[in-house]
């Protein structure tokens, strides 16, 4: 199998895009360590992987809490002896226009999406530097590339993830560590409760994405197949940001 002997550390795999990535990596032979704040969903993902004959462990982790992140990265390393792929995918969205956003909601979004991603990268990279290898993929968004109305905290948090990705790629390439990001358009997950025609029409392909279409890109960027790609943020948006419509 393609990823036999590889181990992956993934956040935000209790549902949505992260769950699909976790299941797919495990199907291809990787051992998958899931770090997520949602215990029920995380354990369900592990059960789904084990039903397919794969290897997976869950650890309840709040990525805004450095101690949680330290313990989870270290536990993953203890269980699987290394981290080949780190996928920092956990994120939240709270919609509000800039002048209406509360300080509390700003802090929540920035803490999970930006600080949480940085904390995970920090501790993954400390381990990967010792290993002298590793591939990190962060989940940004098209909101990391363009502005979006009503998302005054989410947009800067996702732009910030691209900044972290580029900076880490520059700093740690010499240790054999690659760092990339994905920028999905709208994806069919729990976030998208009502798939309106209007939403589909924003994407030139005429539909929103399925989670496996984003998962494939994350897996490619994690794997050796993208061995010369680093510091990149890959847009997967059905053409939504290609230009004015
Ligand atoms: N769904 C979309 O349309 C879309 C588009 C672009 C980008 N994204 C990004 O994709 C990523 C995954 O989102 P999704 O669409 O699969 O939604 P989701 O809500 O299904 O997944 C988010 C995951 O993050 C976890 N999480 C939230 N806060 C956490 C914390 N403090 N610590 C640890 N885990 C935490 C949740 O428990 C959940 O498992 C997010 O970063 C999101 O911003 C989603």
């Amino acid at each position: 199998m393609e990823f036999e002997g590889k181990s992956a550390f993934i956040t935000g795999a209790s549902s949505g895009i992260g769950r699909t990535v976790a299941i797919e990596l495990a199907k291809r032979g990787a051992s998958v360590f899931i770090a997520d704040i949602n215990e029920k969903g995380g354990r369900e993902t592990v059960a789904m992987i084990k039903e397919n004959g794969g290897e997976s462990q869950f650890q309840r982790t709040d990525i805004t809490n450095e101690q949680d992140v330290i313990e989870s990265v270290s536990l993953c390393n203890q269980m699987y002896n290394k981290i080949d792929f780190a996928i920092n995918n956990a994120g939240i969205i709270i919609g509000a226009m800039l002048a209406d956003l509360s300080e509390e909601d700003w802090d929540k979004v920035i803490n999970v999406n930006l600080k949480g991603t940085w904390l995970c990268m920090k501790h993954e990279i400390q381990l990967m530097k010792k290993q002298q290898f590793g591939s990190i993929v962060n989940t940004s968004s098209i909101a990391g590339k363009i502005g979006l109305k009503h998302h005054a905290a989410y947009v800067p948090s996702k732009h910030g993830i691209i900044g972290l990705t580029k900076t880490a790629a520059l700093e740690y390439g010499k240790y054999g560590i690659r760092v990339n990001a994905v920028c999905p358009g709208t994806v069919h997950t729990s976030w998208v409760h009502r798939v309106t025609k209007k939403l589909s029409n924003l994407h030139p392909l005429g539909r929103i994405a399925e989670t496996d279409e984003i998962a494939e890109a994350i897996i490619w960027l994690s794997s050796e197949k993208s061995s010369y790609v680093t510091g990149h943020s890959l847009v997967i948006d059905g053409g939504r940001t290609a230009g004015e419509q």
Side-chain angles (χ1 to χ4, degrees), residues 12-18 35-38 61-64 89-92 112-113 139-142 154 158 184-192:
S14 291
S15 60
I17 298 167
D36 199 293
I37 202 164
N38 174 354
T61 312
D62 177 355
I63 59 163
T64 69
N89 165 80
I92 60 168
V112 176
N113 295 1
T139 305
S140 176
S141 162
I142 56 166
Y154 186 72
K158 292 297 185 179
T186 311
V187 187
H188 206 171
T189 65
S190 58
W191 290 22
V192 186

PDB file of all heavy atoms in Angstrom, residues 12-18 35-38 61-64 89-92 112-113 139-142 154 158 184-192, ligand 1:
ATOM      1  N   GLY A  12      -8.888  18.159  13.441  1.00  0.00           N
ATOM      2  CA  GLY A  12     -10.167  18.430  12.783  1.00  0.00           C
ATOM      3  C   GLY A  12     -10.659  17.268  11.951  1.00  0.00           C
ATOM      4  O   GLY A  12     -11.295  17.456  10.910  1.00  0.00           O
ATOM      5  N   ALA A  13     -10.393  16.037  12.423  1.00  0.00           N
ATOM      6  CA  ALA A  13     -10.839  14.853  11.669  1.00  0.00           C
ATOM      7  C   ALA A  13     -12.040  14.176  12.327  1.00  0.00           C
ATOM      8  O   ALA A  13     -12.350  13.029  12.047  1.00  0.00           O
ATOM      9  CB  ALA A  13      -9.681  13.866  11.497  1.00  0.00           C
ATOM     10  N   SER A  14     -12.733  14.899  13.212  1.00  0.00           N
ATOM     11  CA  SER A  14     -13.951  14.336  13.816  1.00  0.00           C
ATOM     12  C   SER A  14     -15.132  14.470  12.880  1.00  0.00           C
ATOM     13  O   SER A  14     -16.208  13.925  13.155  1.00  0.00           O
ATOM     14  CB  SER A  14     -14.262  15.058  15.136  1.00  0.00           C
ATOM     15  OG  SER A  14     -13.290  14.729  16.089  1.00  0.00           O
ATOM     16  N   SER A  15     -14.964  15.222  11.804  1.00  0.00           N
ATOM     17  CA  SER A  15     -16.035  15.374  10.807  1.00  0.00           C
ATOM     18  C   SER A  15     -15.437  15.974   9.537  1.00  0.00           C
ATOM     19  O   SER A  15     -14.243  16.247   9.467  1.00  0.00           O
ATOM     20  CB  SER A  15     -17.151  16.279  11.349  1.00  0.00           C
ATOM     21  OG  SER A  15     -16.631  17.556  11.665  1.00  0.00           O
ATOM     22  N   GLY A  16     -16.294  16.146   8.551  1.00  0.00           N
ATOM     23  CA  GLY A  16     -15.974  16.941   7.364  1.00  0.00           C
ATOM     24  C   GLY A  16     -14.746  16.513   6.576  1.00  0.00           C
ATOM     25  O   GLY A  16     -14.467  15.323   6.400  1.00  0.00           O
ATOM     26  N   ILE A  17     -14.007  17.519   6.117  1.00  0.00           N
ATOM     27  CA  ILE A  17     -12.848  17.291   5.239  1.00  0.00           C
ATOM     28  C   ILE A  17     -11.805  16.409   5.950  1.00  0.00           C
ATOM     29  O   ILE A  17     -11.268  15.462   5.378  1.00  0.00           O
ATOM     30  CB  ILE A  17     -12.204  18.648   4.850  1.00  0.00           C
ATOM     31  CG1 ILE A  17     -13.192  19.509   4.055  1.00  0.00           C
ATOM     32  CG2 ILE A  17     -10.913  18.435   4.068  1.00  0.00           C
ATOM     33  CD1 ILE A  17     -12.767  20.983   3.899  1.00  0.00           C
ATOM     34  N   GLY A  18     -11.526  16.739   7.214  1.00  0.00           N
ATOM     35  CA  GLY A  18     -10.499  16.016   7.973  1.00  0.00           C
ATOM     36  C   GLY A  18     -10.835  14.543   8.114  1.00  0.00           C
ATOM     37  O   GLY A  18      -9.948  13.681   8.009  1.00  0.00           O
ATOM     38  N   ALA A  35      -6.363  14.331  16.392  1.00  0.00           N
ATOM     39  CA  ALA A  35      -6.400  15.265  17.516  1.00  0.00           C
ATOM     40  C   ALA A  35      -7.551  16.234  17.263  1.00  0.00           C
ATOM     41  O   ALA A  35      -7.529  16.988  16.284  1.00  0.00           O
ATOM     42  CB  ALA A  35      -5.076  16.021  17.597  1.00  0.00           C
ATOM     43  N   ASP A  36      -8.554  16.173  18.125  1.00  0.00           N
ATOM     44  CA  ASP A  36      -9.743  17.009  17.879  1.00  0.00           C
ATOM     45  C   ASP A  36     -10.445  17.287  19.204  1.00  0.00           C
ATOM     46  O   ASP A  36     -10.371  16.479  20.143  1.00  0.00           O
ATOM     47  CB  ASP A  36     -10.699  16.270  16.928  1.00  0.00           C
ATOM     48  CG  ASP A  36     -11.706  17.208  16.258  1.00  0.00           C
ATOM     49  OD1 ASP A  36     -12.571  17.771  16.960  1.00  0.00           O
ATOM     50  OD2 ASP A  36     -11.614  17.366  15.025  1.00  0.00           O
ATOM     51  N   ILE A  37     -11.155  18.393  19.254  1.00  0.00           N
ATOM     52  CA  ILE A  37     -11.885  18.765  20.474  1.00  0.00           C
ATOM     53  C   ILE A  37     -13.180  17.959  20.611  1.00  0.00           C
ATOM     54  O   ILE A  37     -13.722  17.814  21.700  1.00  0.00           O
ATOM     55  CB  ILE A  37     -12.168  20.294  20.469  1.00  0.00           C
ATOM     56  CG1 ILE A  37     -12.426  20.804  21.884  1.00  0.00           C
ATOM     57  CG2 ILE A  37     -13.286  20.664  19.503  1.00  0.00           C
ATOM     58  CD1 ILE A  37     -12.327  22.317  22.018  1.00  0.00           C
ATOM     59  N   ASN A  38     -13.661  17.428  19.498  1.00  0.00           N
ATOM     60  CA  ASN A  38     -14.929  16.675  19.490  1.00  0.00           C
ATOM     61  C   ASN A  38     -14.647  15.180  19.672  1.00  0.00           C
ATOM     62  O   ASN A  38     -14.297  14.470  18.742  1.00  0.00           O
ATOM     63  CB  ASN A  38     -15.651  16.944  18.164  1.00  0.00           C
ATOM     64  CG  ASN A  38     -16.901  16.091  17.984  1.00  0.00           C
ATOM     65  OD1 ASN A  38     -17.207  15.203  18.794  1.00  0.00           O
ATOM     66  ND2 ASN A  38     -17.617  16.360  16.923  1.00  0.00           N
ATOM     67  N   THR A  61      -8.141  16.944  21.956  1.00  0.00           N
ATOM     68  CA  THR A  61      -7.146  18.020  21.904  1.00  0.00           C
ATOM     69  C   THR A  61      -7.838  19.323  21.548  1.00  0.00           C
ATOM     70  O   THR A  61      -8.546  19.389  20.539  1.00  0.00           O
ATOM     71  CB  THR A  61      -6.107  17.732  20.778  1.00  0.00           C
ATOM     72  OG1 THR A  61      -5.659  16.385  20.884  1.00  0.00           O
ATOM     73  CG2 THR A  61      -4.930  18.684  20.837  1.00  0.00           C
ATOM     74  N   ASP A  62      -7.624  20.331  22.383  1.00  0.00           N
ATOM     75  CA  ASP A  62      -8.058  21.678  22.006  1.00  0.00           C
ATOM     76  C   ASP A  62      -6.822  22.370  21.447  1.00  0.00           C
ATOM     77  O   ASP A  62      -5.865  22.632  22.182  1.00  0.00           O
ATOM     78  CB  ASP A  62      -8.597  22.413  23.243  1.00  0.00           C
ATOM     79  CG  ASP A  62      -8.989  23.847  22.928  1.00  0.00           C
ATOM     80  OD1 ASP A  62      -8.757  24.304  21.790  1.00  0.00           O
ATOM     81  OD2 ASP A  62      -9.535  24.507  23.833  1.00  0.00           O
ATOM     82  N   ILE A  63      -6.826  22.661  20.152  1.00  0.00           N
ATOM     83  CA  ILE A  63      -5.592  23.176  19.526  1.00  0.00           C
ATOM     84  C   ILE A  63      -5.242  24.587  19.990  1.00  0.00           C
ATOM     85  O   ILE A  63      -4.160  25.081  19.687  1.00  0.00           O
ATOM     86  CB  ILE A  63      -5.617  23.108  17.976  1.00  0.00           C
ATOM     87  CG1 ILE A  63      -6.792  23.930  17.412  1.00  0.00           C
ATOM     88  CG2 ILE A  63      -5.630  21.665  17.485  1.00  0.00           C
ATOM     89  CD1 ILE A  63      -6.627  24.251  15.922  1.00  0.00           C
ATOM     90  N   THR A  64      -6.139  25.247  20.733  1.00  0.00           N
ATOM     91  CA  THR A  64      -5.794  26.575  21.279  1.00  0.00           C
ATOM     92  C   THR A  64      -5.015  26.455  22.583  1.00  0.00           C
ATOM     93  O   THR A  64      -4.562  27.453  23.141  1.00  0.00           O
ATOM     94  CB  THR A  64      -7.053  27.437  21.526  1.00  0.00           C
ATOM     95  OG1 THR A  64      -7.803  26.873  22.607  1.00  0.00           O
ATOM     96  CG2 THR A  64      -7.933  27.518  20.301  1.00  0.00           C
ATOM     97  N   ASN A  89      -5.916  20.960  10.093  1.00  0.00           N
ATOM     98  CA  ASN A  89      -7.153  21.194   9.350  1.00  0.00           C
ATOM     99  C   ASN A  89      -8.285  21.746  10.207  1.00  0.00           C
ATOM    100  O   ASN A  89      -9.265  22.273   9.691  1.00  0.00           O
ATOM    101  CB  ASN A  89      -7.524  19.842   8.705  1.00  0.00           C
ATOM    102  CG  ASN A  89      -8.946  19.803   8.213  1.00  0.00           C
ATOM    103  OD1 ASN A  89      -9.248  20.325   7.138  1.00  0.00           O
ATOM    104  ND2 ASN A  89      -9.837  19.197   8.995  1.00  0.00           N
ATOM    105  N   ALA A  90      -8.158  21.661  11.555  1.00  0.00           N
ATOM    106  CA  ALA A  90      -9.254  22.124  12.425  1.00  0.00           C
ATOM    107  C   ALA A  90      -9.501  23.605  12.212  1.00  0.00           C
ATOM    108  O   ALA A  90      -8.562  24.388  12.043  1.00  0.00           O
ATOM    109  CB  ALA A  90      -8.901  21.865  13.892  1.00  0.00           C
ATOM    110  N   GLY A  91     -10.772  23.982  12.212  1.00  0.00           N
ATOM    111  CA  GLY A  91     -11.098  25.393  12.044  1.00  0.00           C
ATOM    112  C   GLY A  91     -12.550  25.652  12.383  1.00  0.00           C
ATOM    113  O   GLY A  91     -13.369  24.729  12.419  1.00  0.00           O
ATOM    114  N   ILE A  92     -12.848  26.919  12.662  1.00  0.00           N
ATOM    115  CA  ILE A  92     -14.236  27.316  12.919  1.00  0.00           C
ATOM    116  C   ILE A  92     -14.554  28.563  12.095  1.00  0.00           C
ATOM    117  O   ILE A  92     -13.642  29.272  11.661  1.00  0.00           O
ATOM    118  CB  ILE A  92     -14.511  27.601  14.424  1.00  0.00           C
ATOM    119  CG1 ILE A  92     -13.611  28.736  14.951  1.00  0.00           C
ATOM    120  CG2 ILE A  92     -14.323  26.352  15.267  1.00  0.00           C
ATOM    121  CD1 ILE A  92     -14.029  29.254  16.321  1.00  0.00           C
ATOM    122  N   VAL A 112      -8.646  29.722  17.333  1.00  0.00           N
ATOM    123  CA  VAL A 112      -8.683  28.358  16.778  1.00  0.00           C
ATOM    124  C   VAL A 112      -7.931  28.322  15.439  1.00  0.00           C
ATOM    125  O   VAL A 112      -7.005  27.526  15.259  1.00  0.00           O
ATOM    126  CB  VAL A 112     -10.133  27.858  16.579  1.00  0.00           C
ATOM    127  CG1 VAL A 112     -10.133  26.480  15.909  1.00  0.00           C
ATOM    128  CG2 VAL A 112     -10.883  27.808  17.904  1.00  0.00           C
ATOM    129  N   ASN A 113      -8.304  29.189  14.524  1.00  0.00           N
ATOM    130  CA  ASN A 113      -7.798  29.053  13.153  1.00  0.00           C
ATOM    131  C   ASN A 113      -6.319  29.451  13.033  1.00  0.00           C
ATOM    132  O   ASN A 113      -5.550  28.769  12.346  1.00  0.00           O
ATOM    133  CB  ASN A 113      -8.617  29.910  12.186  1.00  0.00           C
ATOM    134  CG  ASN A 113     -10.065  29.425  12.074  1.00  0.00           C
ATOM    135  OD1 ASN A 113     -10.458  28.468  12.736  1.00  0.00           O
ATOM    136  ND2 ASN A 113     -10.843  30.081  11.261  1.00  0.00           N
ATOM    137  N   THR A 139      -4.941  23.708   6.361  1.00  0.00           N
ATOM    138  CA  THR A 139      -6.165  24.037   5.624  1.00  0.00           C
ATOM    139  C   THR A 139      -6.460  25.522   5.780  1.00  0.00           C
ATOM    140  O   THR A 139      -6.846  25.981   6.854  1.00  0.00           O
ATOM    141  CB  THR A 139      -7.366  23.205   6.105  1.00  0.00           C
ATOM    142  OG1 THR A 139      -7.025  21.818   6.008  1.00  0.00           O
ATOM    143  CG2 THR A 139      -8.578  23.470   5.231  1.00  0.00           C
ATOM    144  N   SER A 140      -6.237  26.253   4.691  1.00  0.00           N
ATOM    145  CA  SER A 140      -6.667  27.649   4.625  1.00  0.00           C
ATOM    146  C   SER A 140      -8.040  27.648   3.957  1.00  0.00           C
ATOM    147  O   SER A 140      -8.919  26.842   4.325  1.00  0.00           O
ATOM    148  CB  SER A 140      -5.632  28.488   3.864  1.00  0.00           C
ATOM    149  OG  SER A 140      -6.062  29.807   3.720  1.00  0.00           O
ATOM    150  N   SER A 141      -8.252  28.489   2.990  1.00  0.00           N
ATOM    151  CA  SER A 141      -9.571  28.638   2.350  1.00  0.00           C
ATOM    152  C   SER A 141      -9.394  29.622   1.207  1.00  0.00           C
ATOM    153  O   SER A 141      -8.390  30.355   1.168  1.00  0.00           O
ATOM    154  CB  SER A 141     -10.554  29.211   3.378  1.00  0.00           C
ATOM    155  OG  SER A 141     -11.704  29.753   2.764  1.00  0.00           O
ATOM    156  N   ILE A 142     -10.399  29.725   0.323  1.00  0.00           N
ATOM    157  CA  ILE A 142     -10.342  30.857  -0.618  1.00  0.00           C
ATOM    158  C   ILE A 142     -10.383  32.167   0.181  1.00  0.00           C
ATOM    159  O   ILE A 142      -9.919  33.195  -0.293  1.00  0.00           O
ATOM    160  CB  ILE A 142     -11.464  30.818  -1.687  1.00  0.00           C
ATOM    161  CG1 ILE A 142     -12.849  30.748  -1.043  1.00  0.00           C
ATOM    162  CG2 ILE A 142     -11.228  29.708  -2.672  1.00  0.00           C
ATOM    163  CD1 ILE A 142     -13.983  31.048  -2.022  1.00  0.00           C
ATOM    164  N   TYR A 154     -12.796  35.463  10.030  1.00  0.00           N
ATOM    165  CA  TYR A 154     -12.406  34.246   9.311  1.00  0.00           C
ATOM    166  C   TYR A 154     -11.391  34.571   8.199  1.00  0.00           C
ATOM    167  O   TYR A 154     -10.375  33.875   8.052  1.00  0.00           O
ATOM    168  CB  TYR A 154     -13.673  33.603   8.727  1.00  0.00           C
ATOM    169  CG  TYR A 154     -13.469  32.263   8.076  1.00  0.00           C
ATOM    170  CD1 TYR A 154     -13.208  31.129   8.842  1.00  0.00           C
ATOM    171  CD2 TYR A 154     -13.557  32.110   6.685  1.00  0.00           C
ATOM    172  CE1 TYR A 154     -13.034  29.889   8.240  1.00  0.00           C
ATOM    173  CE2 TYR A 154     -13.394  30.876   6.082  1.00  0.00           C
ATOM    174  CZ  TYR A 154     -13.125  29.769   6.861  1.00  0.00           C
ATOM    175  OH  TYR A 154     -12.960  28.549   6.265  1.00  0.00           O
ATOM    176  N   LYS A 158      -7.594  33.043   7.866  1.00  0.00           N
ATOM    177  CA  LYS A 158      -7.176  32.154   6.774  1.00  0.00           C
ATOM    178  C   LYS A 158      -6.042  32.766   5.935  1.00  0.00           C
ATOM    179  O   LYS A 158      -5.192  32.051   5.415  1.00  0.00           O
ATOM    180  CB  LYS A 158      -8.385  31.786   5.905  1.00  0.00           C
ATOM    181  CG  LYS A 158      -9.410  30.902   6.638  1.00  0.00           C
ATOM    182  CD  LYS A 158      -8.821  29.557   7.023  1.00  0.00           C
ATOM    183  CE  LYS A 158      -9.821  28.603   7.637  1.00  0.00           C
ATOM    184  NZ  LYS A 158      -9.253  27.300   7.982  1.00  0.00           N
ATOM    185  N   PRO A 184      -9.703  25.579  -0.048  1.00  0.00           N
ATOM    186  CA  PRO A 184     -10.954  25.133  -0.662  1.00  0.00           C
ATOM    187  C   PRO A 184     -11.949  26.278  -0.860  1.00  0.00           C
ATOM    188  O   PRO A 184     -11.965  27.236  -0.080  1.00  0.00           O
ATOM    189  CB  PRO A 184     -11.521  24.139   0.361  1.00  0.00           C
ATOM    190  CG  PRO A 184     -10.422  23.855   1.335  1.00  0.00           C
ATOM    191  CD  PRO A 184      -9.537  25.058   1.314  1.00  0.00           C
ATOM    192  N   GLY A 185     -12.777  26.127  -1.898  1.00  0.00           N
ATOM    193  CA  GLY A 185     -13.991  26.954  -2.007  1.00  0.00           C
ATOM    194  C   GLY A 185     -15.029  26.324  -1.088  1.00  0.00           C
ATOM    195  O   GLY A 185     -14.669  25.696  -0.090  1.00  0.00           O
ATOM    196  N   THR A 186     -16.293  26.454  -1.414  1.00  0.00           N
ATOM    197  CA  THR A 186     -17.309  25.878  -0.521  1.00  0.00           C
ATOM    198  C   THR A 186     -17.361  24.359  -0.686  1.00  0.00           C
ATOM    199  O   THR A 186     -17.371  23.844  -1.807  1.00  0.00           O
ATOM    200  CB  THR A 186     -18.692  26.481  -0.825  1.00  0.00           C
ATOM    201  OG1 THR A 186     -18.548  27.894  -0.869  1.00  0.00           O
ATOM    202  CG2 THR A 186     -19.695  26.104   0.250  1.00  0.00           C
ATOM    203  N   VAL A 187     -17.382  23.679   0.461  1.00  0.00           N
ATOM    204  CA  VAL A 187     -17.342  22.210   0.468  1.00  0.00           C
ATOM    205  C   VAL A 187     -18.597  21.679   1.156  1.00  0.00           C
ATOM    206  O   VAL A 187     -19.098  22.290   2.100  1.00  0.00           O
ATOM    207  CB  VAL A 187     -16.100  21.697   1.233  1.00  0.00           C
ATOM    208  CG1 VAL A 187     -15.960  20.190   1.092  1.00  0.00           C
ATOM    209  CG2 VAL A 187     -14.841  22.391   0.744  1.00  0.00           C
ATOM    210  N   HIS A 188     -19.054  20.551   0.686  1.00  0.00           N
ATOM    211  CA  HIS A 188     -20.258  19.926   1.210  1.00  0.00           C
ATOM    212  C   HIS A 188     -19.974  19.297   2.578  1.00  0.00           C
ATOM    213  O   HIS A 188     -19.632  18.128   2.669  1.00  0.00           O
ATOM    214  CB  HIS A 188     -20.679  18.848   0.216  1.00  0.00           C
ATOM    215  CG  HIS A 188     -22.131  18.569   0.255  1.00  0.00           C
ATOM    216  ND1 HIS A 188     -22.748  17.773  -0.660  1.00  0.00           N
ATOM    217  CD2 HIS A 188     -23.098  18.979   1.078  1.00  0.00           C
ATOM    218  CE1 HIS A 188     -24.033  17.707  -0.392  1.00  0.00           C
ATOM    219  NE2 HIS A 188     -24.266  18.432   0.656  1.00  0.00           N
ATOM    220  N   THR A 189     -20.045  20.073   3.647  1.00  0.00           N
ATOM    221  CA  THR A 189     -19.815  19.561   5.007  1.00  0.00           C
ATOM    222  C   THR A 189     -20.889  20.127   5.920  1.00  0.00           C
ATOM    223  O   THR A 189     -21.785  20.831   5.472  1.00  0.00           O
ATOM    224  CB  THR A 189     -18.445  20.005   5.566  1.00  0.00           C
ATOM    225  OG1 THR A 189     -18.464  21.422   5.696  1.00  0.00           O
ATOM    226  CG2 THR A 189     -17.287  19.595   4.692  1.00  0.00           C
ATOM    227  N   SER A 190     -20.695  19.875   7.219  1.00  0.00           N
ATOM    228  CA  SER A 190     -21.697  20.323   8.195  1.00  0.00           C
ATOM    229  C   SER A 190     -21.865  21.848   8.181  1.00  0.00           C
ATOM    230  O   SER A 190     -22.887  22.371   8.595  1.00  0.00           O
ATOM    231  CB  SER A 190     -21.283  19.880   9.594  1.00  0.00           C
ATOM    232  OG  SER A 190     -20.019  20.410   9.883  1.00  0.00           O
ATOM    233  N   TRP A 191     -20.823  22.543   7.701  1.00  0.00           N
ATOM    234  CA  TRP A 191     -20.917  23.999   7.660  1.00  0.00           C
ATOM    235  C   TRP A 191     -21.966  24.460   6.658  1.00  0.00           C
ATOM    236  O   TRP A 191     -22.530  25.525   6.783  1.00  0.00           O
ATOM    237  CB  TRP A 191     -19.588  24.611   7.213  1.00  0.00           C
ATOM    238  CG  TRP A 191     -18.495  24.499   8.189  1.00  0.00           C
ATOM    239  CD1 TRP A 191     -18.394  23.594   9.211  1.00  0.00           C
ATOM    240  CD2 TRP A 191     -17.327  25.309   8.244  1.00  0.00           C
ATOM    241  NE1 TRP A 191     -17.229  23.804   9.887  1.00  0.00           N
ATOM    242  CE2 TRP A 191     -16.558  24.848   9.314  1.00  0.00           C
ATOM    243  CE3 TRP A 191     -16.862  26.376   7.479  1.00  0.00           C
ATOM    244  CZ2 TRP A 191     -15.334  25.422   9.649  1.00  0.00           C
ATOM    245  CZ3 TRP A 191     -15.653  26.932   7.804  1.00  0.00           C
ATOM    246  CH2 TRP A 191     -14.894  26.468   8.886  1.00  0.00           C
ATOM    247  N   VAL A 192     -22.144  23.651   5.637  1.00  0.00           N
ATOM    248  CA  VAL A 192     -23.015  24.065   4.542  1.00  0.00           C
ATOM    249  C   VAL A 192     -24.346  23.341   4.702  1.00  0.00           C
ATOM    250  O   VAL A 192     -24.587  22.303   4.109  1.00  0.00           O
ATOM    251  CB  VAL A 192     -22.355  23.727   3.177  1.00  0.00           C
ATOM    252  CG1 VAL A 192     -23.166  24.284   2.035  1.00  0.00           C
ATOM    253  CG2 VAL A 192     -20.931  24.266   3.135  1.00  0.00           C
TER     254      VAL A 192
HETATM  255  N1  LIG B   1     -16.607  23.478   4.453  1.00  0.00           N
HETATM  256  C1  LIG B   1     -16.166  24.465   3.698  1.00  0.00           C
HETATM  257  O1  LIG B   1     -16.877  24.980   2.825  1.00  0.00           O
HETATM  258  C2  LIG B   1     -14.742  24.974   3.867  1.00  0.00           C
HETATM  259  C3  LIG B   1     -14.225  25.837   2.894  1.00  0.00           C
HETATM  260  C4  LIG B   1     -12.921  26.298   3.018  1.00  0.00           C
HETATM  261  C5  LIG B   1     -12.140  25.911   4.094  1.00  0.00           C
HETATM  262  N2  LIG B   1     -12.680  25.064   5.040  1.00  0.00           N
HETATM  263  C6  LIG B   1     -11.829  24.700   6.155  1.00  0.00           C
HETATM  264  O2  LIG B   1     -11.747  23.293   6.238  1.00  0.00           O
HETATM  265  C7  LIG B   1     -11.416  22.911   7.570  1.00  0.00           C
HETATM  266  C8  LIG B   1     -12.298  21.764   7.995  1.00  0.00           C
HETATM  267  O3  LIG B   1     -13.628  22.229   8.039  1.00  0.00           O
HETATM  268  P1  LIG B   1     -14.894  21.344   7.625  1.00  0.00           P
HETATM  269  O4  LIG B   1     -15.550  22.061   6.523  1.00  0.00           O
HETATM  270  O5  LIG B   1     -14.497  19.929   7.427  1.00  0.00           O
HETATM  271  O6  LIG B   1     -15.814  21.563   8.916  1.00  0.00           O
HETATM  272  P2  LIG B   1     -16.072  20.665  10.225  1.00  0.00           P
HETATM  273  O7  LIG B   1     -16.778  21.571  11.169  1.00  0.00           O
HETATM  274  O8  LIG B   1     -16.730  19.409   9.796  1.00  0.00           O
HETATM  275  O9  LIG B   1     -14.612  20.330  10.770  1.00  0.00           O
HETATM  276  C9  LIG B   1     -13.906  21.154  11.655  1.00  0.00           C
HETATM  277  C10 LIG B   1     -13.202  20.278  12.672  1.00  0.00           C
HETATM  278  O10 LIG B   1     -12.392  21.106  13.528  1.00  0.00           O
HETATM  279  C11 LIG B   1     -12.580  20.662  14.876  1.00  0.00           C
HETATM  280  N3  LIG B   1     -12.271  21.741  15.819  1.00  0.00           N
HETATM  281  C12 LIG B   1     -12.913  22.927  15.976  1.00  0.00           C
HETATM  282  N4  LIG B   1     -12.348  23.634  16.976  1.00  0.00           N
HETATM  283  C13 LIG B   1     -11.308  22.898  17.453  1.00  0.00           C
HETATM  284  C14 LIG B   1     -10.332  23.078  18.482  1.00  0.00           C
HETATM  285  N5  LIG B   1     -10.314  24.186  19.242  1.00  0.00           N
HETATM  286  N6  LIG B   1      -9.421  22.106  18.693  1.00  0.00           N
HETATM  287  C15 LIG B   1      -9.428  20.967  17.944  1.00  0.00           C
HETATM  288  N7  LIG B   1     -10.323  20.732  16.968  1.00  0.00           N
HETATM  289  C16 LIG B   1     -11.258  21.688  16.716  1.00  0.00           C
HETATM  290  C17 LIG B   1     -14.045  20.242  14.907  1.00  0.00           C
HETATM  291  O11 LIG B   1     -14.345  19.427  16.041  1.00  0.00           O
HETATM  292  C18 LIG B   1     -14.164  19.509  13.587  1.00  0.00           C
HETATM  293  O12 LIG B   1     -13.739  18.166  13.685  1.00  0.00           O
HETATM  294  C19 LIG B   1     -11.549  24.180   8.421  1.00  0.00           C
HETATM  295  O13 LIG B   1     -10.275  24.710   8.704  1.00  0.00           O
HETATM  296  C20 LIG B   1     -12.309  25.129   7.513  1.00  0.00           C
HETATM  297  O14 LIG B   1     -12.014  26.478   7.764  1.00  0.00           O
HETATM  298  C21 LIG B   1     -13.952  24.591   4.942  1.00  0.00           C
END
